[in-house]
Amino acid sequence: MYTLDNVRDEKVIFRELENLCQQAGYAHIIAFFCFRDNSIFSNSEQVTTDDILGQYNENRLIRNEISLLIGLMCKKALDLTIPEPQIFQETIEKTEYLLAELHSSMIKPSFDSKSIEEWLEYIQSGKMLREPIFYTGESAYHFQYRDLSKLKYSYDNEWFTTQKGYSVEQLYQVIVALEDIQVEKIKKTLESLQNKNPLGWTILPGYIFSIQDIFIKTELEVKIIENIINSFSFSERDNDNFNCINDFNAINAYPILPLGDDNFLLFQYYSLVEALYETPFFWFTQDSNYKNKAMEHRGRFTEDFSYERLKLVFGEKNVFKNVDIKDTNSNKLGEIDVLVIFGNRAIILQAKAKKLTILARAGNDNALHDDFKKAIQASYDQAVECGKLLLEPSNKLILSSGEELNINRNFTEIYPLSIVSDHYPALATQARHFLKQEKYSAIKPAFVIDVFTLDVITEILQTPLYFLSYINRRVMYGNKLHSAHELTVLSYHLKNNLYLDEENLVLSLDDNLNAELDLVMQSKRTGLSNKDIPDGILTKYQGTFFDRLIKDIENNPNPKVIDLGFELLMLNEVTVSVLNENVNRIQLTSIRDRKLHDLTLTFDTEASCGLTIHCTNDPYDVAMPKLDSHCMLRKYKHKSDRWFGIAIDIDNARVRFGVNKIYNWQQSDEMDQNTESFPFSRKMVYPSAHKVGRNEPCPCGSGKKYKKCCIPK
């Protein structure tokens, strides 16, 4: 058994693995790995989160590792002889051993540093990134690659028809049919094993299909089907230069293996849909008459897709595409790809269609930095520059229609969002190490993602406050959050309401947190199960006052209450329970006597703040001054910098109006006198991670035990 001290050189391991993969019948070994590690196994009619967790087994081979095995096998002509059972098992174990050793050889340099300086130099180098680039995993779900490809190449349909002999729609039909065919073939193969001698057991036939199989499913012309399959078929000698783990592996771009007689082998359906999304780009670049137009279409897709997804969250009236910023003399100063406005918040999205080159994937420092500069740094710099221009009220915002966009420009927060259209390996890691950012009061740190992540976030967080609240915490916690994939952070937030105090130096998140989100996304997009919303912050408060309050704030994006919405979404479950319970109490009292009753809560956040709620049906000109004065006195009494107030209707507890008092506290003799006899609130609650015990005093201040008072029923 090897250790990090005696692990062999990566090239030696790679060569031994290559020889192993070229043994007779190795295709059956790969089929075994594909079935074991790419399948979801369930003992019930409905797939569960526990079933999905099997995909995060640390002993499972990731798809990149399986593609590596396929690529090495295909450097030699296929031999489909079934190995004897003992050799079959020994080959499986030998493969797993070599892959584990190969992985260790890639991380070993991080332990070889002899000083802190050497280690810091290493973690900023391309050599360090070789490992996360290969092992971080997939950017997208398979259905995202498949379905977004149809949108992405809709602009290029004419080129596909004339140059490839099929339309984008026909291509999509064949790809969809192949998923169904593979599922059916694997099922039939498993059933057939019951009647076979164990010496001949293999799952390989489950990954073989024919042109006729596709014709039966789609009824497309055979020639069209052949053209499509040939477009993604591997050819001999395609991998002659595949001599290192980060070299170009042609099997990723052309994952279909011809077997003759119109039969083909496809080990990983995921590789096919990824190739569907990525490979046509290389076809376009080889056409000198079309490549510039193709690049234009690529950028257009990224902008259009981002625009449509953000509209889903913020509504058409709050999202704008291709906004020019001009000075008073109509000189163009900048252009925003997609602009989102929500009250006193804004998102500036800048899109890029730059890929990570092969040289960069191999760990070349210059190539890595150059690719990152063109893909991420450039879009961030543009977003920040546009943010500064946006804050200058004399500049004009001109829509693509030529109309001027007249909006309130007094933004308290602007979020630069850099987005790429393609799989950009280890994007979060590269952004953490390479992105150079500037500090501004209103312009927040960068959020760097790909279109697939934006698709998921907008699918799950489909309301403005929840979306912006997550983005705010994600970028403000910045380097305190460590995860291999952006969706891991989202998954943690959905379950636990992401909150870090000053004591939390770093929160490191494991990918298995994604299991429930994976199930929800596959259920929503493919019907895998009936699980269409993750348990946690989106479910636990449904139907409560808190839930209605958030919706009321979103439906009326007034800056005076939007800030309150963000504070509320930071609260933990105990605090929300206190809020719901006590609002119910004052509402019932007001219903009985039709008089004003109030509630005050103070929140022990990083910036101490509070909330006063008036339950009243008094006319606005009477109720508003009362609420405003009450909030001003409370704020001063509690020496807070932030205080909020809302008035709710007696009969339905819906928000009528709100006020905010956001300014630094200063001592005042006059205010000291005015608040001298003003009582402190007894409603003290805490949105930190502290869990209140059942027998502890209730944080609402009632004097009762928590289990007898505000504990969630």
Side-chain angles (χ1 to χ4, degrees):
M1 181 64 182
Y2 67 87
T3 65
L4 280 179
D5 291 331
N6 63 16
V7 66
R8 294 177 295 168
D9 182 78
E10 180 184 329
K11 293 180 180 178
V12 174
I13 305 167
F14 189 89
R15 196 61 58 201
E16 184 174 344
L17 186 62
E18 179 176 343
N19 292 333
L20 182 67
C21 291
Q22 292 173 5
Q23 290 181 1
Y26 195 79
H28 299 276
I29 308 298
I30 293 176
F32 166 80
F33 285 130
C34 289
F35 178 70
R36 186 193 70 179
D37 297 335
N38 290 341
S39 303
I40 297 173
F41 301 97
S42 178
N43 294 322
S44 60
E45 293 183 4
Q46 284 287 328
V47 176
T48 67
T49 301
D50 287 341
D51 298 328
I52 300 294
L53 275 171
Q55 295 288 292
Y56 293 95
N57 185 325
E58 63 179 11
N59 296 319
R60 165 185 176 266
L61 301 190
I62 64 172
R63 291 189 178 95
N64 277 347
E65 289 178 308
I66 295 177
S67 291
L68 169 65
L69 302 178
I70 300 170
L72 293 176
M73 178 185 70
C74 289
K75 293 182 73 172
K76 185 178 178 181
L78 292 183
D79 182 338
L80 301 184
T81 305
I82 301 177
E84 295 180 3
Q86 183 178 348
I87 295 176
F88 203 120
Q89 183 60 37
E90 289 174 352
T91 307
I92 289 172
E93 293 172 0
K94 183 66 172 178
T95 300
E96 291 176 325
Y97 179 90
L98 289 175
L99 286 172
E101 188 182 12
L102 183 65
H103 192 181
S104 296
S105 72
M106 293 185 72
I107 63 175
K108 184 177 183 294
S110 65
F111 295 92
D112 289 342
S113 303
K114 295 184 173 52
S115 65
I116 293 294
E117 290 74 18
E118 286 185 9
W119 184 78
L120 290 173
E121 181 180 352
Y122 172 76
I123 66 171
Q124 293 290 335
S125 70
K127 291 180 180 179
M128 184 279 294
L129 283 168
R130 290 182 66 241
E131 191 272 341
I133 284 174
F134 186 84
Y135 287 99
T136 292
E138 302 93 10
S139 280
Y141 295 109
H142 80 276
F143 49 81
Q144 288 182 302
Y145 274 138
R146 182 193 64 204
D147 297 341
L148 268 63
S149 293
K150 187 177 179 181
L151 298 173
K152 182 180 182 181
Y153 296 119
S154 61
Y155 311 101
D156 304 296
N157 189 61
E158 184 178 349
W159 186 91
F160 275 94
T161 303
T162 58
Q163 299 297 320
K164 305 297 286 186
Y166 50 83
S167 68
V168 172
E169 175 60 33
Q170 291 166 337
L171 172 59
Y172 180 77
Q173 289 180 45
V174 169
I175 299 299
V176 170
L178 278 171
E179 181 176 17
D180 293 337
I181 290 168
Q182 189 166 88
V183 170
E184 293 169 4
K185 292 263 185 177
I186 290 174
K187 184 178 179 181
K188 289 180 180 178
T189 301
L190 287 173
E191 292 172 350
S192 71
L193 296 182
Q194 299 176 19
N195 303 316
K196 282 189 176 181
N197 186 318
L199 294 176
W201 278 3
T202 176
I203 196 66
L204 183 65
Y207 297 93
I208 297 174
F209 69 90
S210 68
I211 297 294
Q212 184 64 21
D213 292 331
I214 301 173
F215 173 75
I216 293 171
K217 283 281 186 184
T218 65
E219 296 185 351
L220 292 172
E221 294 179 22
V222 169
K223 182 60 178 174
I224 289 174
I225 297 173
E226 289 175 343
N227 288 342
I228 292 171
I229 297 303
N230 290 336
S231 294
F232 294 95
S233 290
F234 184 88
S235 298
E236 289 186 18
R237 306 192 67 81
D238 275 354
N239 259 1
D240 284 353
N241 295 320
F242 182 40
N243 299 311
C244 170
I245 196 169
N246 297 112
D247 283 344
F248 174 66
N249 183 0
I251 206 70
N252 291 323
Y254 302 97
I256 297 175
L257 307 180
L259 299 178
D261 298 325
D262 282 340
N263 286 314
F264 299 85
L265 176 58
L266 174 63
F267 281 112
Q268 300 194 101
Y269 180 76
Y270 186 95
S271 295
L272 177 61
V273 292
E274 185 176 21
L276 170 68
Y277 191 87
E278 302 275 2
T279 301
F281 166 78
F282 299 101
W283 302 342
F284 297 152
T285 58
Q286 293 169 6
D287 186 339
S288 58
N289 295 321
Y290 191 74
K291 62 180 181 180
N292 290 335
K293 181 175 284 189
M295 286 298 296
E296 178 185 327
H297 289 169
R298 208 161 149 224
R300 180 180 165 190
F301 157 73
T302 313
E303 293 176 10
D304 288 352
F305 181 77
S306 301
Y307 172 70
E308 293 298 329
R309 295 308 299 177
L310 290 169
K311 276 201 310 182
L312 179 68
V313 177
F314 294 93
E316 189 169 5
K317 293 182 180 180
N318 297 312
V319 186
F320 311 92
K321 186 171 59 172
N322 300 131
V323 180
D324 285 341
I325 305 176
K326 296 185 178 181
D327 62 19
T328 53
N329 295 320
S330 296
N331 296 312
K332 185 174 177 179
L333 304 175
E335 180 182 355
I336 300 173
D337 290 340
V338 181
L339 173 65
V340 178
I341 304 296
F342 184 72
N344 55 356
R345 264 77 171 176
I347 296 173
I348 295 177
L349 182 147
Q350 298 295 128
K352 292 295 179 184
K354 179 75 177 68
K355 285 177 173 288
L356 190 66
T357 59
I358 298 298
L359 193 58
R361 290 170 187 257
N364 181 281
D365 281 330
N366 291 334
L368 271 166
H369 284 87
D370 187 58
D371 287 352
F372 187 86
K373 182 178 179 180
K374 293 175 180 177
I376 309 302
Q377 189 69 55
S379 63
Y380 166 76
D381 291 342
Q382 290 169 10
V384 169
E385 184 60 31
C386 287
K388 291 189 287 187
L389 294 171
L390 188 64
L391 290 169
E392 174 51 58
S394 63
N395 292 330
K396 296 183 290 185
L397 305 178
I398 308 299
L399 301 175
S400 55
S401 62
E403 299 177 69
E404 184 174 355
L405 176 61
N406 293 305
I407 54 174
N408 185 346
R409 307 270 279 280
N410 188 26
F411 296 111
T412 59
E413 293 177 353
I414 297 176
Y415 294 96
L417 200 162
S418 299
I419 192 164
V420 292
S421 62
D422 296 298
H423 171 46
Y424 203 96
L427 180 57
T429 302
Q430 293 194 55
R432 187 164 60 247
H433 285 291
F434 297 152
L435 186 61
K436 298 176 182 177
Q437 302 192 57
E438 300 179 52
K439 290 186 177 180
Y440 301 93
S441 57
I443 302 175
K444 301 304 175 185
F447 190 41
V448 180
I449 55 175
D450 54 37
V451 293
F452 312 112
T453 301
L454 179 65
D455 184 35
V456 175
I457 297 175
T458 53
E459 183 67 39
I460 302 299
L461 301 176
Q462 288 194 4
T463 64
L465 275 179
Y466 275 100
F467 184 93
L468 283 171
S469 177
Y470 171 68
I471 300 302
N472 172 270
R473 278 177 266 179
R474 178 64 187 94
V475 303
M476 296 309 293
Y477 294 145
N479 290 335
K480 284 189 173 186
L481 295 170
H482 283 193
S483 68
H485 199 288
E486 188 61 45
L487 294 186
T488 307
V489 182
L490 175 63
S491 298
Y492 178 85
H493 172 67
L494 293 171
K495 182 65 68 175
N496 301 290
N497 197 12
L498 181 60
Y499 179 81
L500 298 179
D501 55 33
E502 294 181 358
E503 295 178 0
N504 295 113
L505 297 178
V506 174
L507 179 62
S508 184
L509 302 174
D510 193 271
D511 280 354
N512 62 15
L513 290 169
N514 292 348
E516 187 172 18
L517 180 59
D518 292 348
L519 178 61
V520 168
M521 284 301 297
Q522 293 193 68
S523 299
K524 291 170 79 72
R525 298 288 177 87
T526 71
L528 181 65
S529 79
N530 57 11
K531 182 78 172 177
D532 60 359
I533 183 169
D535 295 331
I537 64 172
L538 300 179
T539 57
K540 62 177 62 173
Y541 308 128
Q542 286 182 335
T544 66
F545 169 76
F546 179 85
D547 182 45
R548 296 192 300 273
L549 177 57
I550 295 298
K551 290 176 180 175
D552 285 343
I553 293 172
E554 289 182 320
N555 291 333
N556 182 26
N558 186 320
K560 290 186 177 180
V561 291
I562 285 179
D563 292 319
L564 170 61
F566 283 99
E567 294 287 350
L568 291 172
L569 290 179
M570 292 285 285
L571 303 181
N572 70 7
E573 188 173 357
V574 171
T575 308
V576 174
S577 296
V578 170
L579 174 64
N580 287 329
E581 183 73 19
N582 284 282
V583 167
N584 288 339
R585 289 174 181 172
I586 65 169
Q587 184 192 9
L588 288 173
T589 305
S590 291
I591 287 174
R592 284 195 294 267
D593 61 18
R594 310 306 294 179
K595 294 180 181 179
L596 184 155
H597 291 275
D598 67 88
L599 167 69
T600 290
L601 306 170
T602 58
F603 304 140
D604 185 21
T605 58
E606 292 178 7
S608 179
C609 68
L611 167 65
T612 294
I613 300 175
H614 280 192
C615 186
T616 176
N617 280 11
D618 287 345
Y620 178 83
D621 59 351
V622 175
M624 179 62 174
K626 287 183 181 179
L627 179 63
D628 189 78
S629 175
H630 193 168
C631 290
M632 183 170 63
L633 293 170
R634 280 290 184 190
K635 178 182 184 301
Y636 187 82
K637 188 73 174 180
H638 289 278
K639 297 183 179 181
S640 296
D641 292 333
R642 300 162 64 84
W643 203 273
F644 303 94
I646 56 171
I648 61 174
D649 188 278
I650 290 176
D651 298 304
N652 57 26
R654 305 309 293 257
V655 176
R656 294 178 58 198
F657 55 84
V659 300
N660 63 24
K661 303 290 181 183
I662 301 177
Y663 51 85
N664 293 335
W665 184 90
Q666 288 186 337
Q667 189 276 333
S668 163
D669 292 340
E670 180 182 355
M671 290 298 294
D672 284 338
Q673 186 175 359
N674 291 339
T675 60
E676 186 175 356
S677 60
F678 201 73
F680 272 107
S681 168
R682 65 184 183 88
K683 311 298 187 196
M684 303 293 290
V685 296
Y686 304 91
S688 67
H690 171 66
K691 298 291 186 181
V692 180
R694 290 174 57 84
N695 293 310
E696 291 184 43
C698 186
C700 77
S702 66
K704 300 178 182 178
K705 290 184 179 181
Y706 181 47
K707 68 181 180 181
K708 296 290 187 180
C709 192
C710 295
I711 194 168
K713 304 296 192 292

